[in-house]
Amino acid sequence: MKNNHVGRWIIILTLVALFWIPLMGSPQKRPVQLTYDGLVQKIDGGGAVRAVVSADGQTVTITGTDHERYTAHIGPQAPRIQELLDKKKVPVEYRSPAQDMGILGIIQILMTLFLPLFLIFAFIGLFRAGRGGGGGQSPFSWGRSNARVVVQGTGVTFSDVAGADEAKVELEEVVTALKDPSRFTSVGALIPRGVLLVGPPGTGKTLLARAVAGEAGVPFFSMAGTQFVEMFVGVGAARVRDLFRKAKEAAPCIIFIDEIDSVGRQRGNGLGNGNDEHEQTLNQLLTELDGFAGNTGVILIGATNRPDVLDAALLRPGRFDRQVVIDLPDINGRSAILAVHAKGKPLANDVDLQRIARRTPGFSGADLANVLNEAAILAAREGVAQVSIANINAAIERVVAGAEKKGRVIGTEQRRLVAYHEAGHALIGLLCQGYDSVEKVSIVPRGMAAGLTWFAPDENALGLRSKGYYLQEIRVALGGRAAEYLVFGSDGFTNGASNDLQRVAEVVHRMCTEWGMGDVLGHAALRQSQGGIFLGRRIGSGEMNCSPELAARLDDEERELVDAAFEKTCGLLEQHRDALDALAAMLIERETVDRDELLALADQFHIRSSREG
Ligand code: ADP
Ligand code: ZN
């Protein structure tokens, strides 16, 4: 990279030098300056072989018999010089203004026009290179795609991708099409052109695309959608063109565009000047997709987690005609992914991957890979030869909540407050039946949080949640604030609950406006307004599409729901104040309380979870 920059600057300096050198020393010697009288004498004495009159008629330059050139300003005496030249039969040339300016003049004009532009481009190039984000391109390569290319085989195969079996079956077909296109063409079928991988980040979309290239043994061109989006109109389109040109030369091959939604967002979202550029880029992409007829052997794989914001034109048959959905892995998927990444890591006997999989609902493949890697790092730090279950548990918590900040000193009062806050969450969690089970409470600060209460969601819920579940979620989230309120008084509670309160606001809002769980709308949802330009069509947080009166009634309803939940939560904590105090004391003493201890505490204080609370 460094060398490249040096190379670029040499080019720029050379160009500047080429422009400037003619200005500094003229290749033709400057004529000798004479006075008017001196010039007349020279001509009169027969010392001139030819003469040149400038366009404005004010200057005469003669070439003498000695091959020297002489020039003089003649001003109003021009007619007399003319006469004299005629008399001496000296051939006279009259210059046109352009000639008069000469090469130097033209260069000068070019320089004044282009040098500033040139410098601006050079500086932008330098700036972008310095920023590193733009991949360090010089202004000369703006239209180039700078895709990352793996020329022969990515070395990744389907066996490196765990779980995602349905996706593999679909992609198997793409591999066949790349390896043996005649299988398709002989029966008149069109070779797939575009495959859209849809799924949350870290679920292995890139990995799958690489595996397709690896299985088929073809080159792999990869680029992020954001790399097409530039501030200058036309650059993105040029990059798309360049990428496809290179790919066609290397066909059969795979083009992979990550985050394709940043190029393929719906057109006409009316966003100032970036819009033109965006449309041009998208149009170019569509053109290229249509352009490679069924047999060029270039297959485009796009990845996104926002298929809803994609322009409909992209999804039309013949473009991204296949969509493959990749979800977060289920327990078996997680166990398989863990097995893939456990290769090469010596695990202690107490490590059971299936159990780890059970403990990590909601983790993506990337998260799981990260867990095992962190665990190995922790083991290495301890200087032990095997990765223990303790290492893995610590790594899971790290991945979920960031590293523990053991070194941070917290005042006793602060500790007491955090302990009561977390104890409030945990106790309400214990009291709410049907809500996720409390796994662990801790007042060790991590990341941004002063303390944390872990809940394990029910794996079998399939994303379907009842109204009762959400009401309990609201109470559990309010538990921290309620405990602070109860123990430290109506002036003593802190801003520590702000994340909790945001979650509450979101759940309540969606209950009342989206999920038909409120009384104002009944079993109905508000139509979502199609706002949100950059975020695409947002869900749940868009402006409301209703009359101000209805909006006010909904606001009131949401407010009442939260108030009622807060009161209920405070009541529950008051009722179980002895358990709250005991749990807070345990936390202050031990910092972390796990599930078994929590259940023992529940027994001791006769806490019975009930649906009603
Ligand atoms: P995406 O493109 O969906 O954001 P990636 O393909 O970049 O996700 O995944 C990041 C990393 O996570 C991969 O390099 C791999 O190590 C790991 N990973 C994700 N999903 C899987 C999987 N199904 N099997 C094995 N490893 C996976
Ligand atoms: Zn909290």
Short mmCIF file of all heavy atoms in Angstrom, two decimals, residues 534-586:
data_model
loop_
_atom_site.label_atom_id
_atom_site.label_comp_id
_atom_site.label_asym_id
_atom_site.label_seq_id
_atom_site.Cartn_x
_atom_site.Cartn_y
_atom_site.Cartn_z
N PHE A 534 -32.97 6.86 5.01
CA PHE A 534 -31.72 6.14 5.10
C PHE A 534 -31.91 4.77 5.71
O PHE A 534 -31.26 3.82 5.36
CB PHE A 534 -30.70 6.91 5.91
CG PHE A 534 -29.63 7.45 5.04
CD1 PHE A 534 -29.31 8.78 5.04
CD2 PHE A 534 -28.98 6.60 4.17
CE1 PHE A 534 -28.34 9.26 4.21
CE2 PHE A 534 -27.99 7.07 3.33
CZ PHE A 534 -27.68 8.41 3.36
N LEU A 535 -32.82 4.67 6.64
CA LEU A 535 -32.98 3.40 7.33
C LEU A 535 -33.90 2.48 6.57
O LEU A 535 -34.26 1.44 7.04
CB LEU A 535 -33.56 3.66 8.72
CG LEU A 535 -32.66 4.52 9.58
CD1 LEU A 535 -33.35 4.87 10.87
CD2 LEU A 535 -31.36 3.80 9.86
N GLY A 536 -34.25 2.91 5.38
CA GLY A 536 -35.21 2.11 4.65
C GLY A 536 -36.55 2.28 5.32
O GLY A 536 -36.80 3.23 6.03
N ARG A 537 -37.43 1.33 5.13
CA ARG A 537 -38.71 1.45 5.79
C ARG A 537 -38.57 0.95 7.20
O ARG A 537 -38.34 -0.23 7.43
CB ARG A 537 -39.75 0.64 5.03
CG ARG A 537 -40.17 1.35 3.77
CD ARG A 537 -41.18 0.54 3.04
NE ARG A 537 -40.54 -0.19 1.95
CZ ARG A 537 -41.03 -1.31 1.46
NH1 ARG A 537 -42.10 -1.84 1.95
NH2 ARG A 537 -40.42 -1.89 0.46
N ARG A 538 -38.70 1.81 8.13
CA ARG A 538 -38.49 1.38 9.50
C ARG A 538 -39.73 0.71 10.04
O ARG A 538 -40.83 0.93 9.59
CB ARG A 538 -38.14 2.58 10.37
CG ARG A 538 -36.74 3.05 10.08
CD ARG A 538 -36.38 4.17 10.98
NE ARG A 538 -37.24 5.32 10.72
CZ ARG A 538 -37.21 6.39 11.47
NH1 ARG A 538 -36.44 6.45 12.52
NH2 ARG A 538 -37.97 7.43 11.19
N ILE A 539 -39.47 -0.12 11.02
CA ILE A 539 -40.59 -0.81 11.63
C ILE A 539 -40.74 -0.30 13.04
O ILE A 539 -39.77 -0.21 13.78
CB ILE A 539 -40.33 -2.32 11.67
CG1 ILE A 539 -40.01 -2.80 10.26
CG2 ILE A 539 -41.54 -3.06 12.22
CD1 ILE A 539 -39.37 -4.15 10.24
N GLY A 540 -41.91 0.00 13.41
CA GLY A 540 -42.18 0.27 14.82
C GLY A 540 -41.83 1.66 15.28
O GLY A 540 -42.38 2.14 16.25
N SER A 541 -40.91 2.31 14.61
CA SER A 541 -40.50 3.60 15.12
C SER A 541 -40.84 4.73 14.14
O SER A 541 -40.49 5.87 14.35
CB SER A 541 -39.02 3.60 15.42
OG SER A 541 -38.33 3.11 14.30
N GLY A 542 -41.49 4.38 13.05
CA GLY A 542 -41.85 5.41 12.07
C GLY A 542 -42.87 6.37 12.64
O GLY A 542 -43.41 6.18 13.72
N GLU A 543 -43.13 7.42 11.90
CA GLU A 543 -44.17 8.33 12.36
C GLU A 543 -45.49 7.57 12.30
O GLU A 543 -45.67 6.66 11.52
CB GLU A 543 -44.29 9.54 11.43
CG GLU A 543 -43.03 10.33 11.32
CD GLU A 543 -42.93 10.91 9.92
OE1 GLU A 543 -43.98 11.35 9.38
OE2 GLU A 543 -41.82 10.92 9.38
N MET A 544 -46.41 8.02 13.11
CA MET A 544 -47.68 7.32 13.11
C MET A 544 -48.57 7.88 12.02
O MET A 544 -48.59 9.07 11.76
CB MET A 544 -48.34 7.45 14.47
CG MET A 544 -47.58 6.63 15.49
SD MET A 544 -48.60 6.16 16.86
CE MET A 544 -48.69 7.67 17.76
N ASN A 545 -49.28 6.98 11.44
CA ASN A 545 -50.11 7.31 10.30
C ASN A 545 -51.55 7.47 10.76
O ASN A 545 -52.40 6.70 10.41
CB ASN A 545 -50.03 6.14 9.31
CG ASN A 545 -49.82 6.65 7.91
OD1 ASN A 545 -49.68 7.86 7.72
ND2 ASN A 545 -49.83 5.75 6.95
N CYS A 546 -51.81 8.45 11.60
CA CYS A 546 -53.17 8.56 12.10
C CYS A 546 -53.45 9.99 12.51
O CYS A 546 -52.57 10.83 12.53
CB CYS A 546 -53.39 7.61 13.27
SG CYS A 546 -52.40 8.02 14.70
N SER A 547 -54.70 10.24 12.86
CA SER A 547 -55.09 11.59 13.23
C SER A 547 -54.43 11.96 14.56
O SER A 547 -54.10 11.09 15.35
CB SER A 547 -56.61 11.65 13.39
OG SER A 547 -56.96 10.90 14.53
N PRO A 548 -54.25 13.27 14.81
CA PRO A 548 -53.65 13.70 16.07
C PRO A 548 -54.47 13.23 17.26
O PRO A 548 -53.90 12.88 18.31
CB PRO A 548 -53.68 15.22 15.98
CG PRO A 548 -53.88 15.56 14.56
CD PRO A 548 -54.53 14.39 13.90
N GLU A 549 -55.80 13.16 17.12
CA GLU A 549 -56.63 12.73 18.24
C GLU A 549 -56.34 11.28 18.61
O GLU A 549 -56.15 10.93 19.77
CB GLU A 549 -58.13 12.86 17.92
CG GLU A 549 -58.63 14.28 17.72
CD GLU A 549 -58.24 14.85 16.36
OE1 GLU A 549 -58.12 14.06 15.39
OE2 GLU A 549 -58.04 16.08 16.26
N LEU A 550 -56.27 10.45 17.55
CA LEU A 550 -56.00 9.04 17.79
C LEU A 550 -54.61 8.88 18.40
O LEU A 550 -54.42 8.09 19.34
CB LEU A 550 -56.12 8.25 16.48
CG LEU A 550 -55.90 6.74 16.60
CD1 LEU A 550 -56.79 6.12 17.65
CD2 LEU A 550 -56.11 6.06 15.25
N ALA A 551 -53.65 9.64 17.87
CA ALA A 551 -52.29 9.56 18.39
C ALA A 551 -52.28 9.92 19.88
O ALA A 551 -51.60 9.26 20.68
CB ALA A 551 -51.37 10.50 17.62
N ALA A 552 -53.06 10.93 20.25
CA ALA A 552 -53.09 11.35 21.65
C ALA A 552 -53.70 10.26 22.51
O ALA A 552 -53.21 9.96 23.61
CB ALA A 552 -53.90 12.64 21.79
N ARG A 553 -54.76 9.62 22.00
CA ARG A 553 -55.38 8.54 22.78
C ARG A 553 -54.42 7.37 22.95
O ARG A 553 -54.37 6.74 24.00
CB ARG A 553 -56.68 8.09 22.10
CG ARG A 553 -57.84 9.04 22.38
CD ARG A 553 -59.07 8.65 21.58
NE ARG A 553 -59.57 7.31 21.89
CZ ARG A 553 -60.28 6.57 21.05
NH1 ARG A 553 -60.57 7.03 19.85
NH2 ARG A 553 -60.72 5.39 21.40
N LEU A 554 -53.67 7.09 21.86
CA LEU A 554 -52.69 5.99 21.96
C LEU A 554 -51.60 6.32 22.97
O LEU A 554 -51.18 5.47 23.75
CB LEU A 554 -52.09 5.71 20.58
CG LEU A 554 -53.00 4.93 19.64
CD1 LEU A 554 -52.46 4.98 18.21
CD2 LEU A 554 -53.14 3.48 20.09
N ASP A 555 -51.16 7.59 22.94
CA ASP A 555 -50.15 8.01 23.91
C ASP A 555 -50.65 7.80 25.33
O ASP A 555 -49.93 7.28 26.19
CB ASP A 555 -49.82 9.50 23.72
CG ASP A 555 -48.82 9.70 22.59
OD1 ASP A 555 -48.22 8.70 22.17
OD2 ASP A 555 -48.66 10.85 22.14
N ASP A 556 -51.91 8.20 25.56
CA ASP A 556 -52.49 8.04 26.89
C ASP A 556 -52.53 6.57 27.30
O ASP A 556 -52.18 6.21 28.42
CB ASP A 556 -53.92 8.60 26.92
CG ASP A 556 -53.91 10.12 26.90
OD1 ASP A 556 -52.82 10.69 27.16
OD2 ASP A 556 -54.96 10.73 26.61
N GLU A 557 -52.93 5.75 26.33
CA GLU A 557 -53.04 4.33 26.64
C GLU A 557 -51.68 3.73 27.01
O GLU A 557 -51.56 3.00 27.99
CB GLU A 557 -53.63 3.57 25.45
CG GLU A 557 -53.69 2.08 25.72
CD GLU A 557 -54.37 1.29 24.62
OE1 GLU A 557 -54.04 1.53 23.44
OE2 GLU A 557 -55.22 0.45 24.93
N GLU A 558 -50.67 4.10 26.22
CA GLU A 558 -49.33 3.57 26.48
C GLU A 558 -48.87 4.01 27.87
O GLU A 558 -48.31 3.23 28.64
CB GLU A 558 -48.35 4.07 25.42
CG GLU A 558 -48.57 3.38 24.07
CD GLU A 558 -47.73 3.97 22.95
OE1 GLU A 558 -46.67 4.57 23.25
OE2 GLU A 558 -48.14 3.85 21.78
N ARG A 559 -49.12 5.27 28.17
CA ARG A 559 -48.71 5.83 29.44
C ARG A 559 -49.39 5.09 30.60
O ARG A 559 -48.74 4.71 31.57
CB ARG A 559 -49.12 7.31 29.42
CG ARG A 559 -49.01 8.05 30.69
CD ARG A 559 -47.79 8.92 30.74
NE ARG A 559 -47.36 8.94 32.11
CZ ARG A 559 -47.50 9.99 32.90
NH1 ARG A 559 -47.96 11.11 32.42
NH2 ARG A 559 -47.13 9.93 34.15
N GLU A 560 -50.69 4.84 30.44
CA GLU A 560 -51.42 4.14 31.49
C GLU A 560 -50.88 2.73 31.70
O GLU A 560 -50.75 2.27 32.84
CB GLU A 560 -52.91 4.07 31.15
CG GLU A 560 -53.67 5.33 31.54
CD GLU A 560 -55.00 5.45 30.80
OE1 GLU A 560 -55.59 4.41 30.42
OE2 GLU A 560 -55.43 6.60 30.58
N LEU A 561 -50.57 2.07 30.57
CA LEU A 561 -50.02 0.72 30.67
C LEU A 561 -48.73 0.71 31.48
O LEU A 561 -48.53 -0.13 32.36
CB LEU A 561 -49.73 0.18 29.27
CG LEU A 561 -50.67 -0.86 28.71
CD1 LEU A 561 -50.36 -1.10 27.23
CD2 LEU A 561 -50.52 -2.16 29.49
N VAL A 562 -47.85 1.68 31.19
CA VAL A 562 -46.57 1.73 31.88
C VAL A 562 -46.79 2.06 33.35
O VAL A 562 -46.19 1.43 34.24
CB VAL A 562 -45.63 2.76 31.22
CG1 VAL A 562 -44.34 2.88 32.00
CG2 VAL A 562 -45.33 2.37 29.78
N ASP A 563 -47.67 3.02 33.61
CA ASP A 563 -47.93 3.40 35.00
C ASP A 563 -48.45 2.21 35.80
O ASP A 563 -47.99 1.94 36.92
CB ASP A 563 -48.96 4.53 35.06
CG ASP A 563 -48.32 5.86 34.67
OD1 ASP A 563 -47.07 5.90 34.55
OD2 ASP A 563 -49.06 6.85 34.48
N ALA A 564 -49.40 1.49 35.20
CA ALA A 564 -49.98 0.35 35.90
C ALA A 564 -48.91 -0.70 36.16
O ALA A 564 -48.83 -1.28 37.27
CB ALA A 564 -51.11 -0.24 35.07
N ALA A 565 -48.06 -0.93 35.15
CA ALA A 565 -47.02 -1.94 35.30
C ALA A 565 -46.04 -1.53 36.40
O ALA A 565 -45.59 -2.36 37.19
CB ALA A 565 -46.28 -2.15 33.98
N PHE A 566 -45.73 -0.25 36.46
CA PHE A 566 -44.78 0.22 37.47
C PHE A 566 -45.36 0.03 38.87
O PHE A 566 -44.68 -0.43 39.78
CB PHE A 566 -44.43 1.69 37.22
CG PHE A 566 -43.30 2.18 38.10
CD1 PHE A 566 -42.00 1.77 37.86
CD2 PHE A 566 -43.54 3.03 39.16
CE1 PHE A 566 -40.96 2.21 38.66
CE2 PHE A 566 -42.50 3.47 39.97
CZ PHE A 566 -41.21 3.05 39.72
N GLU A 567 -46.62 0.37 39.00
CA GLU A 567 -47.27 0.21 40.31
C GLU A 567 -47.27 -1.25 40.74
O GLU A 567 -46.93 -1.59 41.87
CB GLU A 567 -48.71 0.71 40.21
CG GLU A 567 -49.09 1.61 41.37
CD GLU A 567 -50.23 2.50 40.96
OE1 GLU A 567 -49.98 3.58 40.39
OE2 GLU A 567 -51.39 2.09 41.19
N LYS A 568 -47.65 -2.10 39.79
CA LYS A 568 -47.69 -3.54 40.06
C LYS A 568 -46.31 -4.03 40.50
O LYS A 568 -46.17 -4.78 41.47
CB LYS A 568 -48.13 -4.26 38.78
CG LYS A 568 -48.19 -5.74 38.90
CD LYS A 568 -49.56 -6.18 39.37
CE LYS A 568 -49.49 -7.59 39.93
NZ LYS A 568 -50.72 -7.95 40.65
N THR A 569 -45.30 -3.58 39.77
CA THR A 569 -43.93 -4.02 40.05
C THR A 569 -43.50 -3.56 41.45
O THR A 569 -42.93 -4.33 42.22
CB THR A 569 -42.97 -3.47 38.99
OG1 THR A 569 -43.48 -3.80 37.71
CG2 THR A 569 -41.59 -4.05 39.12
N CYS A 570 -43.79 -2.29 41.77
CA CYS A 570 -43.44 -1.78 43.09
C CYS A 570 -44.15 -2.60 44.17
O CYS A 570 -43.56 -2.96 45.19
CB CYS A 570 -43.84 -0.31 43.22
SG CYS A 570 -42.72 0.77 42.36
N GLY A 571 -45.43 -2.91 43.90
CA GLY A 571 -46.20 -3.69 44.86
C GLY A 571 -45.56 -5.05 45.11
O GLY A 571 -45.40 -5.49 46.25
N LEU A 572 -45.16 -5.73 44.01
CA LEU A 572 -44.53 -7.04 44.13
C LEU A 572 -43.26 -6.96 44.96
O LEU A 572 -42.99 -7.81 45.81
CB LEU A 572 -44.21 -7.59 42.74
CG LEU A 572 -45.35 -8.21 41.95
CD1 LEU A 572 -44.90 -8.50 40.52
CD2 LEU A 572 -45.82 -9.48 42.63
N LEU A 573 -42.48 -5.93 44.71
CA LEU A 573 -41.20 -5.81 45.42
C LEU A 573 -41.43 -5.51 46.90
O LEU A 573 -40.72 -6.02 47.77
CB LEU A 573 -40.32 -4.74 44.78
CG LEU A 573 -39.76 -5.08 43.39
CD1 LEU A 573 -38.93 -3.94 42.84
CD2 LEU A 573 -38.93 -6.36 43.45
N GLU A 574 -42.43 -4.69 47.18
CA GLU A 574 -42.75 -4.38 48.57
C GLU A 574 -43.14 -5.64 49.32
O GLU A 574 -42.71 -5.90 50.43
CB GLU A 574 -43.90 -3.36 48.63
CG GLU A 574 -43.40 -1.98 48.97
CD GLU A 574 -44.47 -0.92 48.80
OE1 GLU A 574 -45.52 -1.20 48.16
OE2 GLU A 574 -44.27 0.18 49.30
N GLN A 575 -43.97 -6.42 48.61
CA GLN A 575 -44.46 -7.66 49.18
C GLN A 575 -43.31 -8.62 49.49
O GLN A 575 -43.38 -9.39 50.43
CB GLN A 575 -45.41 -8.27 48.14
CG GLN A 575 -46.37 -9.29 48.66
CD GLN A 575 -47.17 -9.85 47.48
OE1 GLN A 575 -47.46 -9.15 46.50
NE2 GLN A 575 -47.52 -11.14 47.57
N HIS A 576 -42.28 -8.56 48.66
CA HIS A 576 -41.15 -9.48 48.85
C HIS A 576 -39.89 -8.72 49.24
O HIS A 576 -38.79 -9.06 48.81
CB HIS A 576 -40.90 -10.28 47.56
CG HIS A 576 -42.05 -11.15 47.18
ND1 HIS A 576 -42.30 -12.37 47.78
CD2 HIS A 576 -43.06 -10.97 46.30
CE1 HIS A 576 -43.39 -12.89 47.26
NE2 HIS A 576 -43.88 -12.06 46.36
N ARG A 577 -40.09 -7.70 50.04
CA ARG A 577 -38.97 -6.84 50.40
C ARG A 577 -37.84 -7.63 51.08
O ARG A 577 -36.66 -7.38 50.83
CB ARG A 577 -39.47 -5.72 51.33
CG ARG A 577 -38.41 -4.75 51.81
CD ARG A 577 -37.87 -3.92 50.66
NE ARG A 577 -36.64 -3.25 51.03
CZ ARG A 577 -36.54 -1.95 51.27
NH1 ARG A 577 -37.59 -1.18 51.15
NH2 ARG A 577 -35.40 -1.43 51.61
N ASP A 578 -38.19 -8.62 51.91
CA ASP A 578 -37.15 -9.40 52.58
C ASP A 578 -36.27 -10.13 51.57
O ASP A 578 -35.05 -10.15 51.69
CB ASP A 578 -37.77 -10.39 53.58
CG ASP A 578 -38.97 -11.15 52.99
OD1 ASP A 578 -39.34 -10.85 51.82
OD2 ASP A 578 -39.52 -12.03 53.67
N ALA A 579 -36.90 -10.70 50.52
CA ALA A 579 -36.12 -11.39 49.49
C ALA A 579 -35.25 -10.41 48.72
O ALA A 579 -34.10 -10.69 48.38
CB ALA A 579 -37.06 -12.12 48.53
N LEU A 580 -35.82 -9.23 48.45
CA LEU A 580 -35.06 -8.21 47.72
C LEU A 580 -33.81 -7.81 48.50
O LEU A 580 -32.70 -7.77 47.96
CB LEU A 580 -35.96 -6.98 47.48
CG LEU A 580 -35.33 -5.82 46.70
CD1 LEU A 580 -35.10 -6.22 45.25
CD2 LEU A 580 -36.21 -4.58 46.77
N ASP A 581 -34.01 -7.56 49.82
CA ASP A 581 -32.87 -7.19 50.66
C ASP A 581 -31.83 -8.30 50.69
O ASP A 581 -30.62 -8.04 50.58
CB ASP A 581 -33.33 -6.88 52.09
CG ASP A 581 -34.11 -5.57 52.15
OD1 ASP A 581 -33.89 -4.72 51.26
OD2 ASP A 581 -34.95 -5.41 53.07
N ALA A 582 -32.30 -9.53 50.79
CA ALA A 582 -31.37 -10.66 50.87
C ALA A 582 -30.56 -10.80 49.59
O ALA A 582 -29.34 -10.98 49.62
CB ALA A 582 -32.15 -11.95 51.15
N LEU A 583 -31.25 -10.67 48.45
CA LEU A 583 -30.55 -10.82 47.18
C LEU A 583 -29.55 -9.68 46.98
O LEU A 583 -28.41 -9.90 46.53
CB LEU A 583 -31.57 -10.86 46.02
CG LEU A 583 -31.01 -11.06 44.61
CD1 LEU A 583 -30.07 -12.25 44.56
CD2 LEU A 583 -32.13 -11.23 43.60
N ALA A 584 -29.97 -8.47 47.31
CA ALA A 584 -29.05 -7.34 47.18
C ALA A 584 -27.82 -7.55 48.05
O ALA A 584 -26.68 -7.29 47.62
CB ALA A 584 -29.76 -6.04 47.54
N ALA A 585 -28.03 -8.05 49.26
CA ALA A 585 -26.90 -8.29 50.17
C ALA A 585 -25.96 -9.34 49.59
O ALA A 585 -24.73 -9.20 49.62
CB ALA A 585 -27.41 -8.73 51.54
N MET A 586 -26.54 -10.40 49.01
CA MET A 586 -25.72 -11.43 48.36
C MET A 586 -24.88 -10.82 47.24
O MET A 586 -23.70 -11.14 47.08
CB MET A 586 -26.62 -12.52 47.76
CG MET A 586 -27.07 -13.59 48.74
SD MET A 586 -28.45 -14.52 48.03
CE MET A 586 -27.59 -15.75 47.07
#
